[in-house]
Amino acid sequence: MAAVRFRLRSRGARALLRSDGVRADLQRRADQVRAVADPQFQEATADSHVSEPVRVIADTYTGAQRAGATVIAIHPSSLRIERERRILGGAIDAARD
């Protein structure tokens, strides 16, 4: 059986996916992920030789097709910590209702 692709061509559906309500919901979910991840990153970097504090940022954006959200950790060791502990990956469950 051939794969079927769904293409959203409705202007109304696109407007819904880019709406303020969807963006607000995504921001709420990103904030929940940040709330779970931030203390874990703070703990993971407490013994770091780098004096710079870790910053965990939750933000939303509106693209051409839909709104989206990102949560990022900013610190010289954040990639290593995420690779070893999967803090952001594990915190995604906090965004589920």
Side-chain angles (χ1 to χ4, degrees), residues 34-77:
R34 185 189 56 74
V36 170
D38 188 44
Q40 294 179 46
F41 269 107
Q42 298 301 334
E43 178 185 334
T45 59
D47 297 333
S48 176
H49 63 279
V50 179
S51 62
E52 179 181 339
V54 66
R55 293 183 312 154
V56 180
I57 299 171
D59 196 16
T60 58
Y61 59 91
T62 302
Q65 301 295 319
R66 62 180 162 254
T70 57
V71 180
I72 59 172
I74 301 172
H75 187 271
S77 302

Side-chain angles (χ1 to χ4, degrees), residues 17-36:
L17 292 174
R18 298 179 74 217
S19 70
D20 291 339
V22 169
R23 190 166 176 174
D25 182 58
L26 290 173
Q27 183 66 53
R28 179 184 59 81
R29 292 170 188 265
D31 287 340
Q32 290 173 331
V33 171
R34 185 189 56 74
V36 170

